[in-house]
Amino acid sequence: MRHPATPATRRTALTLFGAALAATPFLKPAAATASVRATGLDHPAKKEIAMQLVSSAENSSLDWKAQYQYIEDIRDGRGYTAGIIGFCSGTGDMLDLVELYTDRRPGNVLAKYVPALREVNGSDSHAGLDPGFPGDWRRAARDTAFQRAQDDERDRVYFGPAVRQGKADGLRVLGQFAYYDAIVMHGDGTDPLSFRNIRRRALRTAKPPAQGGDEVTYLDAFLDARVWAMKQEEAHSDTSRVDTAQRVFLRRRNLDLNPPLDWKVYGDSYHIG
C-alpha cells in the first residue's frame, strides 16, 4: 500500500526548482569535513540506503526498484502519482519525465500522452490519459531506458540538490538524507512549507557545522522544523518517517547511516543489515 505521504506542497514551484536549484546550491560549499569528503549520501552504498529509507515511507517496502511501475491516483488533488519518487501528472515533474524519456526513445508507449500531460498539469484531471495511461506506464516501466529516465529526473530535481546543500552546510550522511527526504515530500520554492523554508526555520535556532554550529543540535532543529511543516497538512500529519526513523538514527549519533539500521514508519518495522 502506498501511504498518502506523497508530496503535497513540493511541486508549487517545481519548474523553478528543477531549472535553477538543481544547477546551483543554496550556499557556496564551505570547506567540507573529512567525513563529508570521504563519504556522502551520493556514495553508491549510502545512496542505496537512502532509496530504501524513502521507499519504506513512500511505498511500505524496501524494494524501491519495484516502484518504477507503480501508478495510482491517491486522491490528493495531484492526478496520477507514479514511479520511484512519486512523479505526479498534476504537478509538472511527470511531464518532464515523459518528455525526457521521449527525447531519448522517440515513439515510446508514453509519447502519445505528452499533449495530455501538458493540458492536465496543475490539476487532478485525467483528461486524455484514461483509460490507457496506467497500463502504458507499467509497460514503459519494463524498459530500462524509462527506468534510467526516472533515476535521472530523481537525481536532477531531488537527490542532487539535497546532497549539494547538505554538503554545503557541512552535514554528514544523515543530514544529507534528512534534506533529501524533505525535498521529496515538500519540494522547494517560495511555498512556506517548502524545503528551503523548513531549513530557514531551523536556522533561526541552530547553526549547521559550516557556520560553526554543532551537527546534532542543528539536525535536531531541522527535524523539529520538518515536523512542524508536516503537521500543517492532513496528508502529512503522520510524522513517523521523522519520529521513529530519522530521529532514531540521530539519537544513536549514527551520522553516517552505518548499518545495521532499524526503524519504523507508520508502525511497520524495517531493517537494513
Side-chain angles (χ1 to χ4, degrees):
M1 172 184 178
R2 183 165 180 111
H3 290 282
T6 307
T9 61
R10 69 171 169 148
R11 278 91 170 208
T12 350
L14 190 59
T15 302
L16 291 174
F17 178 51
L21 180 60
T24 306
F26 297 91
L27 301 173
K28 292 182 179 179
T33 64
S35 61
V36 170
R37 286 197 302 269
T39 304
L41 194 66
D42 48 356
H43 182 280
K46 300 300 184 182
K47 187 173 184 179
E48 178 66 21
I49 288 173
M51 298 305 109
Q52 291 178 303
L53 288 170
V54 169
S55 187
S56 73
E58 295 282 314
N59 301 96
S60 301
S61 169
L62 297 184
D63 187 4
W64 67 270
K65 292 181 180 178
Q67 311 312 320
Y68 289 114
Q69 66 179 348
Y70 167 79
I71 183 166
E72 181 182 5
D73 188 333
I74 61 174
R75 306 299 175 187
D76 63 350
R78 291 158 190 83
Y80 281 116
T81 295
I84 58 171
I85 209 65
F87 301 100
C88 291
S89 61
T91 58
D93 56 353
M94 182 180 284
L95 171 61
D96 290 345
L97 168 64
V98 175
E99 287 182 330
L100 175 64
Y101 178 41
T102 301
D103 286 344
R104 293 177 176 179
R105 195 182 291 285
N108 71 76
V109 71
L110 296 180
K112 60 181 175 287
Y113 296 104
V114 168
L117 287 170
R118 288 175 181 156
E119 287 297 318
V120 302
N121 189 18
S123 76
D124 62 355
S125 173
H126 292 189
L129 299 176
D130 288 343
F133 186 67
D136 285 338
W137 179 283
R138 287 187 283 268
R139 278 187 284 277
R142 297 196 290 267
D143 181 0
T144 56
F146 187 48
Q147 295 174 14
R148 193 173 304 113
Q150 289 195 40
D151 292 344
D152 290 346
E153 281 298 278
R154 173 203 61 205
D155 291 350
R156 180 183 73 85
V157 180
Y158 303 109
F159 187 80
V163 172
R164 285 193 294 274
Q165 183 61 51
K167 289 184 177 183
D169 285 342
L171 301 176
R172 290 154 67 179
V173 176
L174 176 59
Q176 294 168 35
F177 174 74
Y179 280 12
Y180 174 55
D181 192 62
I183 288 181
V184 165
M185 176 176 281
H186 302 279
D188 203 66
T190 59
D191 190 289
L193 304 182
S194 68
F195 164 70
R196 75 175 57 197
N197 285 314
I198 292 171
R199 179 176 171 273
R200 284 172 181 162
R201 188 179 182 90
L203 288 171
R204 295 175 194 168
T205 57
K207 293 181 179 180
Q211 297 181 31
D214 175 75
E215 186 168 10
V216 172
T217 301
Y218 172 73
L219 285 179
D220 204 39
F222 180 81
L223 293 181
D224 285 345
R226 170 80 189 281
V227 167
W228 172 85
M230 291 173 71
K231 288 184 175 179
Q232 305 312 301
E233 299 180 280
E234 181 60 32
H236 297 158
S237 58
D238 186 324
T239 59
S240 60
R241 67 195 290 160
V242 172
D243 301 333
T244 55
Q246 295 172 49
R247 282 205 197 273
V248 171
F249 308 141
L250 184 60
R251 285 196 301 269
R252 293 173 181 170
R253 301 300 193 266
N254 190 351
L255 298 178
D256 290 311
L257 283 179
N258 291 324
L261 298 171
D262 292 280
W263 73 99
K264 292 183 178 181
V265 184
Y266 308 118
D268 298 329
S269 297
Y270 299 93
H271 172 81
I272 297 177

